[in-house]
Amino acid sequence: MRFERLSNGRVEDFLNYCRIHKGAVDSSFLYEDDLKQVQNTEENPAYLAIDENGKVKAAASLIMDEYAKRGRKSRFRIFHSEIEDIDVYKGLMNQLLKYKEGYDKYFIFIPLDNKKLQSNLSLLQFSAERYSFILLRDHSPVASVNLPENYEIKNYESGKDEEIWCMVRNTGFAKLKGSETPMSPDQVKKMMASDDYLDGGAMILYHYERPVGVVKCSDDEYDDIQTMNIGSLALIPEYQGKGLGRMLLRKALQFGLDQSYKQIYLSVNGENEQAKSLYLQEGFKEAEGFVCYACHF
């Protein structure tokens, strides 16, 4: 078994491996739209384990973009082996550790039922840090949006609202595990310009003229079905616990139905019990659970 850095001639082999095995890990960055963007760059270091016949038997890839660097933590796109041999994982990990300068940890989400990979990660000195759940909702009717007086929801405007979005999102997520790293206006602009952006799907909640909440809807897929994803639902702390998050959620759900989506999903941290309870009350059902394993340096 030899380990080699992903080369341009092996990109398609790597992508096919990801397609085959995406169900064994968190597939958030393994859908076709994501894989199309994979390049052999320093922001996406990837290694393959190759057998004596030249076949790819394992793959590991990290996401080391601007956001990862600012937060000093890099997420695995994939870390998987077809061979049940801990030495294969060790070999891949040794290659990726070349890039750890400037980072405090690497992390990966693993389905709760993938006990074998969890065991291998434990042998590599990874530790379980937190849990996350995918919640799914069908296209059943949505309850009405009833905002208190002096509140209104406006659509995000490109070129105008990037700093507003950052302020609300970063303040609301400052203590949320996994999302503590603040976003920059440039990142917001890039996010809103991505292929999955839905026109009118990014909204800002105002109290008088003060921005206090945000929610973003994007085009995605789940179980190979076109699905709307609700992300970045955030409220600044002093406006939490007032039912405003529920109204933002309903606004996003209604937007999804208006766009003819048959299903809508979101993810929620396991420790955020209040948010998970809200989503279940609004018609979501738990579809999958994941555990986040991290290797600290």
Side-chain angles (χ1 to χ4, degrees), residues 141-161:
V142 179
S144 60
V145 178
N146 297 308
L147 287 173
E149 188 176 357
N150 300 317
Y151 286 85
E152 65 176 325
I153 296 174
K154 298 180 181 179
N155 286 342
Y156 162 90
E157 293 185 39
S158 179
K160 173 186 173 185
D161 292 335

Side-chain angles (χ1 to χ4, degrees), residues 10-22 35:
R10 283 282 191 179
V11 169
E12 196 57 37
D13 292 337
F14 171 74
L15 298 183
N16 286 333
Y17 189 92
C18 290
R19 293 181 182 112
I20 293 170
H21 298 291
K22 70 178 184 179
L35 294 179

Side-chain angles (χ1 to χ4, degrees), residues 49-62:
I50 312 295
D51 69 8
E52 62 275 11
N53 298 316
K55 301 293 185 181
V56 177
K57 292 298 180 180
S61 174
L62 289 167

